[in-house]
Each structure stands twice: as structure tokens, then as C-alpha cells.
Amino acid sequence: MNAQQLKESVLQYAMQGKLVPQDPNDEPAIDLIGRIQEEKERLIKNKIIKKSKTLPMINDDEKPFDIPPSWEWTRLTEVIDVRDGTHDTPRYVAEGIPLITSKNLKKDYLDFDNVKYITQEDATKINLRSGVDNGDILFAMIGSIGNPLLVKKNREFAIKNMALFKPLNNSLIDMKYVYWFLEYEQHQMKRKSSGGVQSFVSLSFLRNYLIPLPPLSEQKRIVRKIEELTLKLQNYNLLHEESVNIKEVFPSKLENSILHYAIQGKLVEQDPNDEPAAELIERIRREKEILIKEKVLKKEKTLPPITDEEVPFDIPENWEWIRIKDITNFGNASTITPEKINAEDWVLDLEEIEKNTGRIIDKKLAKEKSVKSNKYRFSENEVLYGKLRPYLNKVAIAPEDGYCTTEIIPLKLYGNVDVRYVQLVLMSPYFIGYANSCSYGVKMPRLGTQQIANALIPLPPLKEQKRIVNRIESLFCITDKLK
């Protein structure tokens, strides 16, 4: 049995009330539904939501399986607010507010690559009815039905042709439980969908869909257990792919999975004896203060504190979220004019970095190319980040000193932070998703200065950084052989 099959079994047990034990002290789901109905009536009275049609009673023939006595079968619209995005086609513009459709729903994030833009006026009109907030769930209604996404919003957008599940009150239902229910049930929904060439599910279909509702406390226990088992399944999947089925795995997808697990703290074990990342960050802060005092660095503006809404995923306790500018010399790279570059100096352009690998594939001296614009100076062992068309994933480590186009940002790291670890974070699916979501420009999108400075990096203890890098390099040796 592979990891996906095991995951489906876990979700099946969870939705049938077989994954965690019931607690007789929990408030029964029937009482919870009563409290949700009271909240719903209050929202209708205050004209926050519209009154919905009376739904048919649930008969025994509709119930697909048995559930514990403390649970209740209910319809989705009875316990959450089920809406959808616009079905109209607004006027598209070159730059504006992204209009998200099903194709932009990825496994763990919204992909803003190849997105179409609409005016602020049209977006405001759509969002009056279908505004998306943190903690809401998006769900594809047309074509590839399903692919639920629990939203962590970091920019404004509007939605088209997709379902939107919103809590009536966050204290009355666990939206992560709803997310896992939709993850489990999406296959059934696809089978029950309408349409010929292009299948779809209607808003009415989703509103009337049955959900097995546990007591609120049990919802939270189920979510914790699923997340715990999902972590174990991810590790199992890596081992499974490395050994039995590795020949069947497309290498680049496996590498993305490895990077994703690594930066979430799921690839190697944490060591309680490691110095916590918070102490490493404090050392970096002191080091930068000395450099500013010695006028090696410019005095920096204080960056905004990191909010819970910004954090894209959970990390281990001894890790810290940190902004790129806090651990690098970002904004202090020195610029040099063309006439000051010697003929024997190395000058690096963006096309000389291979996408997705971080390898420098061509090294040319100034005398071999026409140098007409200002360049950044970089030093050996700095991270070189390509900010133009960041989806190309061009991130290298400088093997020696040189100069580069200003479309490449040199990043000098402080506090002995492992340069290879930072390179891997910047090449991870998480960071590519962030960069794409923040890029501006249509034909030649690029990541802006402020977006780079404010970008978040999950920072492990220094020793764990090195363990992660060693583990990734050993796994990538296997994927290289497959390639």
C-alpha cells in the first residue's frame, strides 16, 4: 500500500468516527448544531448573510455510513456559509487585481502565475458577495472538481467559478476538519458531478451535501491526529519512493516534495541539545549592529513584526520565522559602473544560471560580453537570487567574487547561517509560490525590493540546517540518477 492509499484510509476512519476515541464529556453535535443555528439567525437578522431555503430532512437512505451516537449528519449549508465566486467574465486589464480560478488552486498554495487581472472596481464588486478571508476554504467547481485549499491570504484577489466555504463563527466549527472532509469526499463529488465534456458541481449541490459532524472537541482531536499521521505518511512516502517505487516517481516532483518537507522541519529529527534558532537570530542582530556602527552597513529601517496571518505553515518549536533582510545584507549590495569593471572580471547574467538546479552553466569574463549597464558586486559564498521571472527558480551560490546584473540580488548571510540551506529555501515550492504571488508586471514579472526584504524564511538551529542540507543532498543524488 502506498502513502496515498494509506492517507485515504486515515481520512475514511476519521470521517466514520474511528480515528480517535469519543469522549462522553464532549458536548453532543446536536447541541453544537443548535448553537450554530442561533448564530446563523443572528447573522441573518443583522443582514450579514441571506436567509437560505428550507432544506429537506435527511432520510436514512442518504446516509452513506454509520457514525457515533454523539455525531450528527447535517448539510454543509446548515453549519457553514457556502458561496461561490463570480460566473461573469469581467473586463481583463494588463495590471490590477488577480482573478483566481480553479487552475490556480495548487496543493498547498494559490499559484498566481498566468493569472488574469481585473480592475479594482470589478474586484470590489465581486468581493462584496464572495470576499475571501484567512481560514476560508476554496474548492474547484468546474473541470478538476475538488482540490480544496485552506486559505492563508497575503494579497488581494477575487474568485471566479469556484466554491467558497466560510465559517459562520470560528468558535463553533473547526475549518480544518471541514477541509479534511472535503479532501476525503472530493472523489465522491466528482463521481456525482454533472456535465458532459466539462464536469461541474452546482452551488446547490454543495450546500445540500451531507457532512458527518462530530462534537467540536472531537473535531479538533481528529484534526490533530490526521496532521500527526500525515507527517508520518510523508516520511513513509519518501522512504517508499526511495526504495520500492522510486523508478515510478518523476524526479523533479520528488525533489519539490523533499524541499517542502525539509523547510517544514519534517525531513530530519530535531535535537533538543541544539542551540535554538532564537539565539542564532540574536547573535545576527548584534553582529549587524556592530557593522552598522563601523559603517560597513547602512542603518536599516525596522521591519514590521511577523503576524500569524503571514506565517504559511507550522514549524518546530526551536525554529523561528525571520525576514530575509534580518539575516542578510539585503539593500547594501554595492553597485559598480561598466567602466570600472576590468576585462578579466567575471560578469554573471541571469541566463547563465540553470533553472531549478542552482548550477552556473556558463562563466564569461567582461571582455567576452558587452557590459553597458551598472552591476552588483558579489563575493564568494553569497546567495545569488534571480528576481526576474522568479518562477524560473534561478538561485545560485557564488563560487568566487564577481559582478552580476541587477536582476540578480546578492545576499551575504550573517551568523554563519548555512548558505546552502538558504539557497534550498529560496528554491522550495513555498518560496516560489510566495514570489509568484508578489511579483509585478505581466510579460516580465519580477519580485519587488520590499517583497524580498519582507519575505519569510523558516530558520532552524544552525546544526539542524547542516543536517537538512546533508539529507537533501543524499536524496538528490538518488533523483539525479533517475534523471
Side-chain angles (χ1 to χ4, degrees), residues 69-84:
S70 58
W71 292 35
E72 290 293 327
W73 282 106
T74 187
R75 302 190 190 276
L76 278 169
T77 194
E78 292 290 343
V79 290
I80 55 177
D81 186 4
V82 185
R83 309 183 188 184
D84 61 353

Side-chain angles (χ1 to χ4, degrees), residues 184-219:
Y184 169 67
E185 199 65 24
Q186 61 182 328
H187 305 296
Q188 284 291 340
M189 291 182 177
K190 289 173 187 175
R191 283 193 280 271
K192 296 176 183 177
S193 63
S194 306
V197 176
Q198 191 173 46
S199 57
F200 69 92
V201 292
S202 67
L203 185 59
S204 175
F205 171 89
L206 293 173
R207 284 175 169 169
N208 281 278
Y209 209 87
L210 294 189
I211 178 173
L213 193 72
L216 183 58
S217 296
E218 189 170 348
Q219 291 175 38

